[in-house]
Amino acid sequence: MHGSASPGWLLVALCAATGTYCLLRMRSGVEEQRRAAGGEALMGFGMAAMAVPAAVAAPPRWAWLAYAVVFGAAGVRALWGARTGAHHLHHLVGAFAMAYMAGVMAASPAHHEHGAASGLPPVTGVLLLYFAGYVLWSGVRLIPVASVAGGGRSVGWGDRPELARACRLSMGIAMVAMLLTL
């Protein structure tokens, strides 16, 4: 993504930390949690790679196409999983957003320089609305869990619901930031 270097590196750090935590969640004893964590780790690390400031490393066009293919495949997997549970639909939207951003960058990377004022494409606007709503909704859902946490039972890092929700919240915030800089 193109933009200022400092916020770009902060976004890279946030997404990489989120991806790392999701890898830890993959060690959970709950199978569904492990599966979701794997997809979220892919999203976190993919977002981190895409957020590297262009001034440092401007990926070639083929790299953006590879991102589009990887996240397109993740979207197909999420679509397949959506037949068993509606919670996979968010993963589908996230994978579509990542494939969309990679496709836009592959199609016209020079268009996304600082100060490019071409207006907000409708797809970007819809994705921004979705993820802004998701951030608000997941932030509100995090409040009760945080106040109940620490009820005396010991759980592993991979099984802490408040951390999993915080992970999803941070990826939603990162997605909004990436869409804004698109």
Side-chain angles (χ1 to χ4, degrees):
M1 299 278 99
H2 297 281
S4 179
S6 293
W9 285 118
L10 290 172
L11 193 57
V12 169
L14 173 71
C15 294
T18 301
T20 301
Y21 174 69
C22 290
L23 286 179
L24 289 173
R25 283 183 41 226
M26 289 180 68
R27 297 182 344 177
S28 170
V30 181
E31 180 182 347
E32 183 59 33
Q33 180 129 292
R34 284 193 308 267
R35 253 188 298 205
E40 291 168 1
L42 173 68
M43 292 297 282
F45 288 124
M47 290 169 72
M50 287 176 70
V52 171
V56 174
R61 184 170 188 260
W62 64 264
W64 293 114
L65 293 173
Y67 287 143
V69 168
V70 166
F71 287 108
V76 169
R77 185 174 188 275
L79 182 61
W80 182 257
R83 64 187 172 78
T84 61
H87 63 279
H88 292 283
L89 292 175
H90 174 70
H91 292 268
L92 176 63
V93 174
F96 170 76
M98 294 293 286
Y100 166 73
M101 288 188 289
V104 167
M105 296 303 289
S108 59
H111 171 73
H112 299 283
E113 296 300 322
H114 301 289
S118 63
L120 187 67
V123 175
T124 305
V126 168
L127 289 170
L128 270 170
L129 285 173
Y130 173 81
F131 283 103
Y134 179 79
V135 164
L136 294 173
W137 177 73
S138 46
V140 167
R141 283 188 64 211
L142 187 61
I143 293 168
V145 172
S147 64
V148 177
R153 70 180 184 106
S154 176
V155 292
W157 281 97
D159 294 321
R160 298 193 50 190
E162 72 277 11
L163 290 178
R165 287 183 180 152
C167 172
R168 292 181 191 113
L169 175 64
S170 66
M171 283 199 294
I173 292 168
M175 188 68 78
V176 168
M178 290 176 74
L179 285 165
L180 285 172
T181 62
L182 185 61

